[in-house]
Amino acid sequence: MNDAQLLRYSRHILLPQIGIEGQEKLLAAKALIVGAGGLGSPAAYYLASAGVGTLVLADGDTVDLTNLQRQILHRVDSVGRPKAESGRDTLAGINPECRVETIVARLDGASLDAAVSRADVVLDCSDNFATRHAINRACVKFRKPLVPGAAIRFDGQVAVFDSCRADAPCYHCLFPEAEDAEEVRCATMGVFAPLTGIIGTVQAAEALKLLIGCGESLAGRLLLLDGLAMEWRQITVPRDPLCPVCSS
Ligand SMILES: [Zn+2]
C-alpha cells in the first residue's frame, strides 16, 4: 500500500482483526454483485469504500423514477441509464481506486458461470427466484461463498452459504425450487426504503468478513428482520441430504 492508501484505509488498519494484512486481502479481492438495486446499492457503496479491489456490478435494468426511493446508487440524472453504469459512476466518486466492471445484462447460463467462477465472493441482490437459484447453483459448482439478501414490505432476510465448507447447506436446501413459487415483488407489494439499506449493509459486512477471514460468518444461519417491530430472529439452516444442488 502507498501512503494515500494507508491513510484512506487507516480506520480499518487500526482494527486488529483487519490490519494491513486484511486490508491487502480486500485490495486484491473481487466481488460479484448481482443486482444494482435496493440491496446492491448499499452493498456496493460499502465494498467500494472499504477498498475491495474489483467489483463486478451486474444488472440488466435501467434506472426508473420509482427506484430512487431506496436505490441510493442512482440519482435523478441517472433515470433511463443502465443501473450498472449509473452505479459505476457513483462509486468512482467515492473510491476511484476500486475497479468497477459492469455487466448490463441479466446473468444466466454461461455468463453467470463465467462471472461467478472469477469472483471471490458473490452477493445475491436480485429480486426473483429464477435468478436466485441460478446464482446458487453456480456458487455450489465453483465453490464460491454466497451472501443472499431479500427485502419486501417491512421484512428482510440475509444469510451466508459458504460452499468452501464441506458440510455447508446451500440456498436450495433452505428454499427448494418450486414450479409454482409465488413471486412477491416490490413493484406490487411495496418496500420500506431503509429496510433495503439495512439488509444490503449486512450483506456487505458478511462479504468483507469472508474476504478478510475474520470473525464468525453467518454461514448456515438465516437472519430474519421484522422492520415494523425492529426485531431480528435467527434460524439455523441444516443441509438437506437430498438436496439436488449441493448433495451430489
Ligand atoms: Zn443444498
Side-chain angles (χ1 to χ4, degrees):
M1 271 183 276
N2 58 38
D3 285 352
Q5 288 174 314
L6 289 169
L7 204 55
R8 178 184 278 271
Y9 304 117
S10 56
R11 300 315 192 257
H12 255 180
I13 293 167
L14 280 168
L15 298 170
Q17 294 86 348
I18 299 180
I20 287 181
E21 195 186 337
Q23 189 61 47
E24 283 179 337
K25 285 183 190 169
L26 293 182
L27 293 171
K30 185 171 199 167
L32 168 64
I33 300 178
V34 184
L39 301 169
S41 286
Y45 261 108
Y46 278 112
L47 295 188
S49 67
V52 170
T54 307
L55 276 189
V56 182
L57 265 188
D59 199 309
D61 283 345
T62 53
V63 180
D64 182 84
L65 184 62
T66 60
N67 301 149
L68 301 186
Q69 168 247 21
R70 64 200 177 284
Q71 302 186 13
I72 57 176
L73 267 180
H74 314 301
R75 297 166 193 284
V76 173
D77 58 8
S78 305
V79 170
R81 294 186 63 206
K83 286 186 183 179
E85 293 176 3
S86 161
R88 175 197 59 203
D89 294 351
T90 301
L91 298 173
I94 297 163
N95 189 354
E97 289 186 356
C98 174
R99 182 183 145 84
V100 180
E101 299 173 6
T102 58
I103 301 174
V104 183
R106 182 163 166 172
L107 282 179
D108 56 15
S111 65
L112 179 61
D113 274 5
V116 168
S117 67
R118 287 197 293 263
D120 298 305
V121 66
V122 178
L123 289 81
D124 178 359
C125 302
S126 70
D127 63 355
N128 65 87
F129 286 124
T131 300
R132 289 179 183 284
H133 281 289
I135 294 170
N136 177 60
R137 280 191 295 272
C139 285
V140 170
K141 179 176 176 184
F142 296 103
R143 295 186 153 267
K144 302 292 183 178
L146 169 63
V147 188
I152 194 85
R153 294 177 292 238
F154 288 90
D155 299 319
Q157 296 180 353
V158 55
V160 169
F161 298 102
D162 189 352
S163 298
C164 304
R165 299 189 182 193
D167 59 345
C170 78
Y171 182 81
H172 194 286
C173 295
L174 178 62
F175 297 112
E177 205 164 5
E179 294 282 315
D180 57 351
E182 192 189 348
E183 201 86 65
V184 284
R185 288 282 179 78
C186 295
T188 48
M189 307 305 291
V191 60
F192 187 46
L195 187 79
T196 58
I198 296 168
I199 298 297
T201 303
V202 174
Q203 288 179 271
E206 289 302 305
L208 291 172
K209 283 164 55 191
L210 287 163
L211 293 172
I212 295 164
C214 72
E216 189 64 37
S217 89
L218 257 183
R221 293 181 286 152
L222 173 72
L223 283 185
L224 299 147
L225 172 62
D226 174 347
L228 271 182
M230 202 47 78
E231 281 179 355
W232 291 91
R233 280 192 305 132
Q234 172 180 308
I235 59 172
T236 303
V237 181
R239 184 177 209 170
D240 175 1
L242 300 176
C243 174
V245 176
C246 70
S247 291
S248 54

